[in-house]
Amino acid sequence: MSIVQRVYPTEGAQLDVLVMHCDHARYVYNLGLEQRSWWTPSRRHFRQKINYVSQAADLTEARREYDWLRAGSSVVQQGALRDLDRAFINFFARRAGYPTFKKRSNARQGFVVRDLAVRRVNRRWGEILVPKAGWVRFRISRAWTDICAATSARVAVTNGRWTVSLTTPPAVCKVADTAAVVGIDRGVANSVATSDGRMFHAPGFTVGEQVRFVALQRRLSRQQKGSANRDRTKAELGRLRLRLADRRGDWIEQTTTALATSYCAAAVEKLPIANMTRRAKPKPDPDRPGGFLPNGGRAKSGLNRAILASCWGKFAQRLDHKMSVVAVPAAYTSQECSNCGHTCPENRDSQAVFRCQGCGFEHHADTNAAINIRDRAFNIEHQPEDSLGDRVHQSRKRAAPTTSVA
Ligand SMILES: [Zn+2]
């Protein structure tokens, strides 16, 4: 769990130190990555192992030699090596790809602060102790007790906006005062549909913002690389993206909290989002060596964008933090009749309408899928239509929050 607060360093001295820390963290991270990439089995005799301990020792040596490195903070520089170590652990555990170099041009830069010290100035403002920069002000938007519970922090800058993200112990889930369970179908037309017929839409750009965004992208493509005007356009695009990310983040928090407070357990489908949003495979043309046939690439990237815009992954992750969540296989949830169980593709009359070919049951397609997901997760059997009223009652009685699936 982490709490993100906005940081306001003073122009000049403090800002310069924070930028320096970002630069040093990036430099040390990249240097450490290069050292690790250099290691091969044939160089085993050279040194037993390159790991955090050996690299921290090398860093100490380098700090003795180079004044500019010594001018920085050893805590920040060691933190970068620790980040690198974590990246390699994730890589070897197959949770992540091979670590990549951090670029100076990346929109987001940051560094770690260990041995966290915070103090409160007044109701709205707090201060965090950053090595070499002293006390840096931040705006308090969360409970002070939660901020104090944090053990470490990461200071970051995105498009000129400085934030501190404080790592805190996970918040205690407020258990909903109900035995009701809910099935959740994630889709593109409706980002989230629940088994009792509610629909939630993830926010996007407004029409005006969309027009502005496209115009800026066009302008960017015409501008000289490395020019000041291009940098300005990039910064403005970044601000627009940031605004959208904030808006979507708020929506996720509000929607998941609303669900967590009105149901005791939720069911979602397992969606391999990374697989689903792969780009379309190129289709080689047999008549033209080296040529390609149309492969629907544009349509697929449009769908990918829509899937990513619906924030499915983040939504499920936050929901799981807040309530008991069961994940079930997604196969045929959209084709199965939630009334009689008849499953065939013809059941889908259109994107929005579900009409069963077996029993004639009609429902909103997304709601029908959400009911299937709920029934699969909580082992509720299909009931004939005339006892539909009973079924809702029964599903609540039989609902038991089972194991939570990440
Ligand atoms: Zn049916």
Side-chain angles (χ1 to χ4, degrees), residues 337 340 356 359:
C337 171
C340 70
C356 178
C359 70

Side-chain angles (χ1 to χ4, degrees), residues 193-223:
T194 68
S195 53
D196 39 19
R198 287 161 83 188
M199 307 280 170
F200 299 95
H201 302 271
F205 278 136
T206 63
V207 177
E209 283 167 346
Q210 183 64 43
V211 169
R212 179 108 192 97
F213 191 77
V214 172
L216 284 169
Q217 276 187 322
R218 237 172 244 155
R219 189 191 296 171
L220 186 77
S221 69
R222 284 195 302 263
Q223 281 167 332

